[in-house]
Amino acid sequence: MKTDPAGVLTGAHYLDGDFACGEGAMAAGCRFVAGYPITPSTEVVERISRRFPMMGGTFIQMEDELASMAAVVGASWTGTKCLTVTSGPGFSLMMENIGLAAMMETPCVVVDVQRGGPSTGLPTMVGQADMMQARWGSHGDYELIALCPQSPQEAFDLMIDAFNLSEIYRIPVMFMMDECVGHMTEKVVIPEADQIEIVPRKLTSQTPEEFLPYRVNGGYVPEFARAGDGYRFHTTGLTHNEHGYPVMSAECQEQNVRRLIYKIRDNADQIVRFEDDGVDGADIVLVTYGITARVAQMAMEMAREQGVKVGMMRLIIAWPFPEKRIKELAGKIKAFVVPEVNYGQMVLEVQRCAEGLAPAVLVSHGGGGVHEPETIVEAIMGAAK
Amino acid sequence: MSTVSEQTAVESTESKVEHPIAPYLRMDRMPHIWCPTCGIGTVVKCYATALGEAGVDLDKVAIVSGIGCTGRVAGYMNLDAFHTTHGRAIPFATGLKLGRPELLVTVFSGDGDLVGIGGNHFIHTARRNMDLLVILVNNFIYGMTGGQNAPTTPLTAKTSTMPYGNFENPFNLPHLAASCGASYVARWTCLHTRRLTKSFKEALGRKGFRFIEVIAPCSTLYARLNRLGTGFELMRFYHDNAEIRHDADLNDVAIDFQGKIVCGKFVDEERPTFIDLMHAHYERTLGDKYRPMPPEGGWIHE
Ligand code: SF4
């Protein structure tokens, strides 16, 4: 359906990535945000808290990130689209209830504007070291989706996709910004509301008598009932059957958790998203995301001038990871080069998926800045030898 | 609780008469997990009775529990029910309330859950006077994990992690809730079923952060570790040691080991809730531009 025009600030604007992300959420129909201040993400909720009272949205500043995430999961059960926003230290605290959202199958979006870590790390400076945490941070087995915008425009555009994906699969979606993208200011074009397609919360058409909250009839995603509509359902973070009742058994675990995993794995081909630049016929393929994709762009051009056939695969969705594409390329190229503002995270995925057919060379940057393009060029030249 | 389910079973086979609170429970989940003579079931009975007496629209009542023995209550209530993470029932419930303001949201959980791991949420939500009825069953111990020390364990009481007796000062919960800004504060034991039911009913009709502490026996752990006797003796203790003083100075209602339990309705004041304050403030500052979230929530649909 078309989105609610109340949240759409149509026009061309000059916005930083955090503001653009907030605008994207409001345009996507988000009407409840719970958050706790943390640099460099706070501008997202500052933007939202200024505009929300004019569009029927509620923002609440909670006492901590544990509470923010819990409130978001609770609010989502009313059908209201929900968001929370944080950075590394807060992301760690949110992991508990991100797991709850995954287990209860609660749509919501979590923004992490990444800064240098571990611990308090570099509060005002860039990092990309939460990529594995986004995927594996909460305990137990689950799957989710993570997007990585590389510009303020993408922070807006991908936010709409993030909300839509959370609705389609009933999962928490991670929105992995980084401090550079969050704080860079660029032109952001926001379309008319009737150009923005959103996936509304689809409510069950069954009666309360027939409805079971986790029945899928062979499908992947159960139908949803809102709290307050008379369904009197039960949901829990415990392993549960289709009634939403706890059942402590290996059989129920298998039935419950397998579906949480395979609703994403079996649909990965539809979800995976990346952008190729000169990959066909390349000897070297850069695998990048977020701010580093923009630095790598320059490195790629420099290496091409030196005669190396180098292409770039930019991850727009990092999780699920484009396994098939990496494997396919691995059989054709000399090497992958993976620059990241961390000491090696997504490179591990590239190595895993390449299955030894091509090496994946990490170009690390510990955080607090981005790579010098020359460092990446050097790695490309080394790998091309 | 065990009496309730036994009665139901007997009546449904012999006379087909339903137990009065059966419609409020998920009878398909009986028997429940609580131990014989545990106090939690009595509190559930009083809450269910109060829901009926208050005449609220049950389709609009949501219940949220955290983790622990009392954390299982949501799972047995025939309402929109959420069994959440340890300590997070209150912020989860805050989200439910703000996401659909017309809901009547009850938080039903234990002392370890709400004021141990969830203590920070408890004080801040009381400070906001958030529209939640918070029922805290205080059994002085962590029950489900095996009797460990709680932030409510009276001084000198034995727990599995304080085998030589507790030397940490416990919370005085009515005092804590009142000083943080709760608009309704009461304490009862589960012997006071009539007064407790009345208090639940009254609190269901109030707004803001309504806190009701219910002292309940954990017969399996707290009572056994401290050699306090059987269920009957525990009830007799409440009978002999509970003292109803509505006007008590809340500084004086802390609970000592096997000491007096001061009960009563300590606070009942109408004060603007978080939602009231938000509306009033935005109406004042933004005027006609303010568009509050509708009572049925911020759900966007065709
Ligand atoms: S362990 Fe204690 S609190 Fe838990 S069900 Fe048994 S008696 Fe009740």
Side-chain angles (χ1 to χ4, degrees):
Chain A
M1 66 174 266
K2 308 298 174 204
T3 195
D4 172 13
V8 185
L9 200 68
T10 303
H13 309 271
Y14 196 52
L15 295 178
D16 76 10
D18 281 357
F19 279 3
C21 167
E23 287 298 335
M26 292 183 279
C30 172
R31 294 293 179 268
F32 178 78
V33 175
Y36 184 82
I38 186 166
T39 306
S41 73
T42 313
E43 293 91 329
V44 182
V45 293
E46 286 173 355
R47 181 79 175 189
I48 289 172
S49 57
R50 186 163 284 271
R51 302 218 316 111
F52 250 16
M54 271 82 85
M55 66 183 78
T58 298
F59 167 73
I60 180 168
Q61 183 169 314
M62 298 300 284
E63 50 277 13
D64 56 32
E65 290 90 346
L66 299 160
S68 303
M69 192 63 216
V72 158
V73 183
S76 183
W77 280 94
T78 69
T80 304
K81 292 193 183 193
C82 300
L83 174 79
T84 187
V85 181
T86 191
S87 186
F91 201 44
S92 295
L93 293 184
M94 287 179 182
M95 286 302 150
E96 173 191 58
N97 291 299
I98 286 173
L100 181 69
M103 192 59 154
M104 286 183 166
E105 301 185 67
T106 313
C108 56
V109 177
V110 180
V111 177
D112 174 10
V113 186
Q114 296 172 85
R115 65 193 218 184
S119 189
T120 316
L122 297 169
T124 62
M125 299 166 100
V126 67
Q128 289 185 311
D130 303 346
M131 297 304 293
M132 282 292 175
Q133 187 184 20
R135 170 67 187 85
W136 302 104
S138 198
H139 57 276
D141 274 326
Y142 62 100
E143 290 263 353
L144 45 62
I145 297 175
L147 298 92
C148 321
Q150 65 157 356
S151 65
Q153 181 67 55
E154 257 194 5
F156 177 88
D157 296 338
L158 294 183
M159 204 55 182
I160 315 262
D161 298 332
F163 273 95
N164 288 347
L165 288 163
S166 78
E167 295 293 337
I168 295 168
Y169 296 104
R170 284 187 61 175
I171 48 160
V173 168
M174 304 297 116
F175 200 70
M176 304 305 288
M177 308 250 290
D178 56 62
E179 184 276 336
C180 284
V181 171
H183 283 165
M184 67 165 60
T185 303
E186 288 183 339
K187 184 177 170 185
V188 176
V189 179
I190 299 181
E192 303 277 349
D194 63 7
Q195 304 296 309
I196 299 174
E197 270 303 317
I198 63 163
V199 177
R201 183 72 52 88
K202 213 177 130 262
L203 303 188
T204 181
S205 53
Q206 295 176 61
T207 62
E209 290 69 38
E210 341 173 284
F211 177 74
L212 291 180
Y214 292 101
R215 181 163 57 194
V216 289
N217 292 325
Y220 288 103
V221 183
E223 292 186 356
F224 188 87
R226 302 199 300 158
D229 280 355
Y231 284 83
R232 311 235 192 133
F233 58 82
H234 178 256
T235 179
T236 173
L238 285 169
T239 296
H240 47 267
N241 62 14
E242 54 185 19
H243 293 257
Y245 292 169
V247 179
M248 301 298 100
S249 74
E251 292 73 28
C252 191
Q253 173 78 357
E254 165 68 8
Q255 182 196 54
N256 183 173
V257 182
R258 170 169 286 276
R259 193 170 54 70
L260 298 184
I261 303 287
Y262 281 89
K263 69 178 173 180
I264 301 302
R265 282 194 195 165
D266 286 353
N267 290 297
D269 288 345
Q270 278 96 63
I271 303 167
V272 157
R273 202 182 330 162
F274 53 85
E275 198 178 67
D276 275 351
D277 180 349
V279 167
D280 289 333
D283 287 331
I284 305 295
V285 171
L286 289 156
V287 181
T288 67
Y289 55 94
I291 188 60
T292 308
R294 299 178 66 159
V295 182
Q297 179 78 29
M298 186 170 175
M300 177 170 71
E301 282 155 22
M302 288 160 71
R304 280 178 182 166
E305 275 166 26
Q306 297 185 44
V308 185
K309 283 195 269 179
V310 47
M312 185 161 96
M313 179 176 168
R314 178 172 75 91
L315 305 176
I316 296 171
I317 288 182
W319 304 112
F321 190 74
E323 300 190 5
K324 284 188 189 157
R325 179 63 174 164
I326 294 288
K327 184 163 184 201
E328 180 191 309
L329 288 174
K332 296 181 190 163
I333 66 170
K334 267 195 185 156
F336 294 100
V337 172
V338 187
E340 315 184 71
V341 186
N342 59 47
Y343 290 102
Q345 296 199 7
M346 298 312 286
V347 69
L348 300 173
E349 276 300 278
V350 180
Q351 285 165 351
R352 179 179 72 80
C353 300
E355 293 180 353
L357 296 173
V361 180
L362 167 69
V363 191
S364 67
H365 188 304
V370 294
H371 296 77
E372 292 297 335
E374 290 75 12
T375 327
I376 303 174
V377 174
E378 221 171 275
I380 295 171
M381 303 312 284
K385 271 194 205 125
Chain B
M1 202 55 216
S2 60
T3 16
V4 169
S5 63
E6 277 158 24
Q7 278 177 7
T8 309
V10 170
E11 287 172 5
S12 60
T13 47
E14 288 178 4
S15 61
K16 303 282 181 226
V17 177
E18 206 179 38
H19 189 279
I21 70 158
Y24 301 91
L25 300 180
R26 295 180 187 275
M27 295 307 290
D28 56 342
R29 291 207 61 207
M30 295 299 141
H32 56 73
I33 63 160
W34 296 310
C35 308
T37 79
C38 171
I40 298 169
T42 308
V43 191
V44 172
K45 161 89 168 29
C46 295
Y47 175 66
T49 309
L51 280 177
E53 288 179 4
V56 291
D57 177 0
L58 296 178
D59 286 349
K60 294 280 180 271
V61 181
I63 184 165
V64 185
S65 291
I67 299 297
C69 291
T70 314
R72 291 304 185 97
V73 169
Y76 297 128
M77 295 303 301
N78 188 14
L79 300 166
D80 287 331
F82 300 89
H83 179 229
T84 65
T85 38
H86 196 19
R88 317 298 167 222
I90 287 179
F92 189 102
T94 297
L96 266 177
K97 178 69 190 173
L98 295 179
R100 187 167 186 173
E102 66 185 355
L103 294 178
L104 264 172
V105 185
T106 297
V107 171
F108 206 132
S109 218
D111 48 316
D113 189 67
L114 291 176
V115 297
I117 187 168
N120 197 32
H121 313 310
F122 181 89
I123 59 175
H124 284 279
T125 312
R127 170 180 67 78
R128 296 183 188 109
N129 202 22
M130 188 61 69
D131 244 317
L132 301 174
L133 168 56
V134 177
I135 299 168
L136 181 150
V137 177
N138 182 0
N139 54 19
F140 305 130
I141 211 160
Y142 281 85
M144 189 162 275
T145 46
Q148 294 80 16
N149 217 71
T152 47
T153 306
L155 278 171
T156 74
K158 290 199 172 78
T159 61
S160 66
T161 48
M162 289 267 197
Y164 307 107
N166 171 40
F167 53 81
E168 272 190 33
N169 280 309
F171 271 135
N172 169 351
L173 293 176
H175 187 245
L176 178 69
S179 64
C180 292
S183 60
Y184 186 100
V185 178
R187 177 198 275 157
W188 301 103
T189 76
C190 62
L191 183 73
H192 297 93
T193 52
R194 198 166 45 80
R195 288 187 169 88
L196 180 60
T197 307
K198 184 165 163 256
S199 195
F200 284 156
K201 184 180 158 191
E202 187 172 73
L204 281 165
R206 299 284 195 273
K207 296 200 303 175
F209 191 90
R210 292 143 287 162
F211 173 65
I212 301 175
E213 178 186 15
V214 192
I215 308 301
C218 167
S219 25
T220 301
L221 294 158
Y222 186 77
R224 197 166 46 82
L225 287 165
N226 289 288
R227 302 184 191 283
L228 303 179
T230 62
F232 176 73
E233 281 152 322
L234 296 166
M235 286 298 127
R236 167 159 292 166
F237 177 80
Y238 292 159
H239 177 267
D240 296 343
N241 291 278
E243 196 179 291
I244 299 174
R245 277 202 279 133
H246 299 297
D247 59 352
D249 178 343
L250 289 180
N251 280 303
D252 300 335
V253 306
I255 298 175
D256 295 329
F257 182 60
Q258 294 300 90
K260 285 242 170 301
I261 302 172
V262 180
C263 296
K265 178 174 79 175
F266 306 122
V267 179
D268 184 6
E269 283 170 21
E270 201 179 321
R271 266 191 287 115
T273 67
F274 176 90
I275 293 179
D276 294 338
L277 290 166
M278 177 172 70
H279 288 333
H281 184 72
Y282 286 144
E283 274 159 18
R284 197 163 54 236
T285 53
L286 299 173
D288 292 344
K289 285 191 283 181
Y290 177 45
R291 202 178 120 189
M293 183 180 284
E296 63 276 16
W299 175 49
I300 293 174
H301 53 99
E302 310 208 60

